[in-house]
Amino acid sequence: QVQLVESGGGLVQPGGSLRLSCAASGFAFNSYGLSWVRQAPGKGLEWVSGITNSGITVAYLDSAKGRFTISRDNAKNTLFLQMNNLKPDDTAVYYCTKSRSSTYSVHQYWGQGARVTVST
């Protein structure tokens, strides 16, 4: 069965950095697009970034551009999100999602989430 397991969350001060990882199993990793979606406390789900199966095409939420970098290692079945210059508004649970196809527009499967808290 499909499994997505996030790690790397934690507490960080404003301006700091974190790297989230998502270990995937149960499907042909290099055939599917992936995304990071977050949910801030008391708010709805917000797509943050997506990457196609090859890793060639990526996209970001406007507020994440220039600060976040999505990448994937198809040999290790792992998705990453490097987050720099973090802001309190980035506080959220971050979910790794698997698409139905090589693009990242549909969130078919979700991980359990990694909590990121940006605070002094």
Side-chain angles (χ1 to χ4, degrees), residues 6 20 37-38 48 68 81 83 90 92-96 113-114 116:
E6 300 94 336
L20 301 182
V37 177
R38 69 185 179 186
V48 175
F68 292 6
L81 185 68
M83 304 185 292
D90 296 317
V93 176
Y94 285 71
Y95 298 93
C96 167
V116 172

Side-chain angles (χ1 to χ4, degrees), residues 55-92:
I56 291 176
T57 302
V58 299
Y60 299 94
L61 179 70
D62 281 349
S63 62
K65 289 179 182 176
R67 300 189 299 124
F68 292 6
T69 303
I70 190 171
S71 62
R72 63 191 294 162
D73 185 338
N74 284 350
K76 295 184 178 180
N77 290 4
T78 305
L79 174 71
F80 303 99
L81 185 68
Q82 177 67 43
M83 304 185 292
N84 298 328
N85 191 21
L86 283 160
K87 304 176 181 181
D89 283 350
D90 296 317
T91 295

Side-chain angles (χ1 to χ4, degrees), residues 49 73 111 115 117-118 120:
S49 183
D73 185 338
R115 185 174 300 277
T117 303
V118 184
T120 55

